Amino acid sequence: MKTQSAVWKYWAILATLLLPVSTLAAEDGKLKVGFMLPYSGTYAGLGHAITNGFKQHVDELGGKIAGRTVEYVTVDDESDPAKATENAGKLIKRDKVDVIVGTVHSGVALALTRVARETNTLLINPNAGADEITGSLCAPNIFRVSFSAWQPSYAMGNVMLERKHKNVVTLAWKYSFGEQSVAAFKEAFEKGGGKVVKEMTLPFPNTEFQPYLTEIAALKPDAVFVFFSGAGAVKFVKDYVAAGLKTSIPLYAPGFLTDGTLEAMGDAGAGLLTTLHYADGLENAKDKAFRTRYAITYKMQPDVFAVQGYDAAQLLAAGVGAVKGDLGKRADMVKAMETAKIDSPRGAFQLSKAHNPIQDIYLRKAEGRENKVIGVVSKALADPARGCKM
Ligand code: BEZ
């Protein structure tokens, strides 16, 4: 027979399960942040940098946002789209998080965004660039503090035109982000009279680049445009150099190729030109303070992914702060996030109507371990947000 205290416990658990998520968190004074990020595989470094950046801002706030202690739950999404829906479900149903911060890989992010829309979970995307996330899938509860696939690659199309390249071969991992990056590059490049002579792809996260390098050598284009990132980017650039191509066929990319990877690339990365919304040597006060603190805390230099994590926390703090920690006031919180001016290390930015940053895109040159800023190639570039009905 059950004792009276066991019966009480049973009812207490049942009642807890039936309470709405925001009531739970408010009562215990916590703000539960669910990180759904890659902590293993080729994008592991990106996931860790985002986590570091996010925690850095929360630490600056004394570990609390609007009086609520920030508590973290993490899921390693392994950059595996097949596990994305289940992983998102774990954070929402099992862990009852107040907000999900995720993720890096666009295939995973598309599934996560759909779950967040269906469950009305607040989602702050700290990286994944698939255009749909702030395009056809845009919604009041979906925010992105990073970029769309379109932004840095469209800008690169114009850079390569200015540098008088006419015939270009593209190579990217075959999934939404790689394909959309190439499409955006091609949109700008062909509008200005350039020609993409061959589009090549390989499955993610394959790094057997040799057959593609052999084909590039045979095609002899004026230049090559690629998308790779993380550990795969290091291998690609080293292979490109080893194949003897770097001196004969210039290589260009959105800056994911060289951010966080130059140290591992060694000399192979030297001189590479990339476009991105962050760079080394920006010399603004916010960036200086951010980098100094990051280097002290984590014993390494930050990269764009760390900046995006930091800004995800800044956006969350703007929303939660505006409603004084009362997450039940969702509409007010969303309004505050939509209108927030984020004082980012990349330069201050605001979100578009579709919740994607309107931001400067820099041209950078790899020198030593840094992606040195050369200039701004697109000022306050807004994603076209195709298909967004908000
Ligand atoms: C993406 O899948 O959206 C992505 C991954 C790594 C770097 C940039 C974008």
Side-chain angles (χ1 to χ4, degrees):
M1 222 172 83
K2 280 188 175 105
T3 64
Q4 209 173 4
S5 83
V7 173
W8 263 114
K9 222 172 172 178
Y10 170 79
W11 280 110
I13 291 168
L14 193 67
T16 304
L17 288 173
L18 293 172
L19 276 173
V21 174
S22 59
T23 313
L24 272 176
E27 273 180 2
D28 65 9
K30 299 261 166 66
L31 179 65
K32 241 185 174 184
V33 174
F35 285 129
M36 181 162 148
L37 291 166
Y39 295 111
S40 58
T42 202
Y43 288 160
L46 288 61
H48 286 292
I50 289 166
T51 307
N52 290 347
F54 191 98
K55 289 186 171 174
Q56 177 167 322
H57 184 58
V58 173
D59 289 349
E60 285 169 1
L61 300 174
K64 290 183 178 192
I65 298 179
R68 296 169 66 146
T69 303
V70 179
E71 190 179 276
Y72 302 104
V73 186
T74 50
V75 167
D76 176 6
D77 69 31
E78 303 167 56
S79 295
D80 185 352
K83 296 181 182 160
T85 302
E86 192 189 332
N87 281 333
K90 277 186 203 158
L91 288 173
I92 297 165
K93 294 210 181 75
R94 184 193 65 189
D95 301 322
K96 300 189 167 29
V97 298
D98 296 305
V99 55
I100 295 183
V101 175
T103 183
V104 168
H105 182 289
S106 276
V108 179
L110 286 166
L112 168 60
T113 304
R114 288 191 178 97
V115 174
R117 279 170 59 105
E118 277 159 22
T119 56
N120 198 23
T121 304
L122 181 64
L123 174 66
I124 303 183
N125 174 347
N127 185 72
D131 291 330
E132 301 93 312
I133 294 168
T134 53
S136 57
L137 291 176
C138 75
N141 60 316
I142 310 293
F143 288 85
R144 175 156 61 190
V145 291
S146 51
F147 50 87
S148 69
W150 185 88
Q151 285 174 307
S153 291
Y154 186 86
M156 182 48 100
N158 289 323
V159 169
M160 288 174 72
L161 281 170
E162 275 162 29
R163 295 177 69 84
K164 309 282 177 233
H165 298 307
K166 294 258 171 329
N167 300 310
V168 166
V169 168
T170 66
L171 177 60
W173 274 319
K174 187 172 174 52
Y175 74 95
S176 52
F177 188 75
E179 291 170 331
Q180 291 174 2
S181 297
V182 168
F185 160 73
K186 193 173 167 182
E187 185 185 329
F189 189 62
E190 296 203 331
K191 207 192 295 175
K195 177 126 196 67
V196 172
V197 290
K198 178 119 194 186
E199 289 178 45
M200 300 193 291
T201 55
L202 71 163
F204 174 86
N206 198 328
T207 55
E208 282 308 310
F209 298 117
Q210 205 46 55
Y212 306 94
L213 298 176
T214 304
E215 196 166 351
I216 290 169
L219 287 166
K220 295 190 177 56
D222 297 340
V224 171
F225 170 91
V226 298
F227 161 68
F228 296 109
S229 190
V234 176
K235 167 92 166 41
F236 176 76
V237 171
K238 285 186 166 175
D239 286 1
Y240 198 81
V241 172
L245 292 174
K246 191 165 165 228
T247 45
S248 52
I249 307 175
L251 177 65
Y252 298 88
F256 314 111
L257 189 75
T258 52
D259 245 73
T261 53
L262 284 176
E263 183 140 7
M265 279 178 196
D267 292 344
L272 287 177
L273 289 178
T274 56
T275 44
L276 206 61
H277 51 289
Y278 186 58
D280 293 304
L282 289 181
E283 298 295 335
N284 67 62
K286 184 75 180 183
D287 192 42
K288 275 189 189 156
F290 166 74
R291 292 173 79 107
T292 305
R293 189 170 178 144
Y294 195 94
I296 292 169
T297 310
Y298 302 110
K299 315 278 177 270
M300 63 173 124
Q301 289 301 316
D303 56 20
V304 70
F305 308 106
V307 170
Q308 292 165 181
Y310 186 83
D311 291 342
Q314 292 211 79
L315 183 65
L316 180 64
V320 176
V323 294
K324 299 192 170 46
D326 183 355
L327 304 191
K329 294 187 173 157
R330 171 68 76 85
D332 292 343
M333 188 166 102
V334 163
K335 184 126 206 91
M337 291 167 79
E338 284 174 336
T339 52
K341 186 163 185 185
I342 303 295
D343 185 12
S344 171
R346 74 186 87 169
F349 72 85
Q350 281 190 278
L351 297 177
S352 66
K353 268 172 81 178
H355 297 180
N356 188 67
I358 300 171
Q359 56 194 341
D360 294 348
I361 304 292
Y362 304 102
L363 179 64
R364 309 110 48 86
K365 184 176 185 180
E367 279 175 27
R369 303 292 170 260
E370 298 204 324
N371 289 289
K372 278 266 158 67
V373 63
I374 294 183
V376 175
V377 288
S378 294
K379 189 93 195 124
L381 187 65
D383 178 78
R386 291 165 183 146
C388 175
K389 299 266 178 344
M390 224 167 24

